[in-house]
Amino acid sequence: MSIKAEASKLIKNHLKELNASAEILGGVFITGQDGAVAVIGVEGKKKKVIFLTSFVTDNVNKLLDAQIEVQDLLEEDGIEAISEHDYNIALEEL
């Protein structure tokens, strides 16, 4: 399964959670984690991995491309990606 197909399915399955975190934080944080793409939000006042794709690659550039692809898919559903810095600030303000 391609990263786009997998991410589309994960976004659909976690849309309610993604929207809730985006409303609270102003977006979600997307990062690479152990060769996969992680989408991070919040639950209560704690950091929460909303979903993690299957392994993508150990190649940093290819993983970054996959993160951008996930970001584009999220934005199609109106969910903004925020930087780690903005995510941490939003989390501290809860």
Side-chain angles (χ1 to χ4, degrees), residues 21-35:
S21 284
E23 188 174 314
I24 293 167
L25 301 172
V28 293
F29 173 51
I30 303 169
T31 189
Q33 184 175 346
D34 299 325

Side-chain angles (χ1 to χ4, degrees), residues 54-73:
S54 58
F55 181 79
V56 177
T57 182
D58 281 329
N59 181 297
V60 175
N61 291 329
K62 288 182 182 178
L63 187 56
L64 196 51
D65 289 343
Q67 288 172 237
I68 292 168
E69 199 162 351
V70 171
Q71 177 179 339
D72 290 344
L73 291 169

Side-chain angles (χ1 to χ4, degrees), residues 2-3 6 8 20 22-23 28 30 32-34 36 41 43 48 70 72-74 78 88 91-92:
S2 73
I3 184 68
E6 180 184 5
S8 293
E23 188 174 314
V28 293
I30 303 169
Q33 184 175 346
D34 299 325
E43 184 172 65
K48 179 183 182 202
V70 171
D72 290 344
L73 291 169
L74 285 166
N88 288 329
L91 203 55
E92 287 175 15

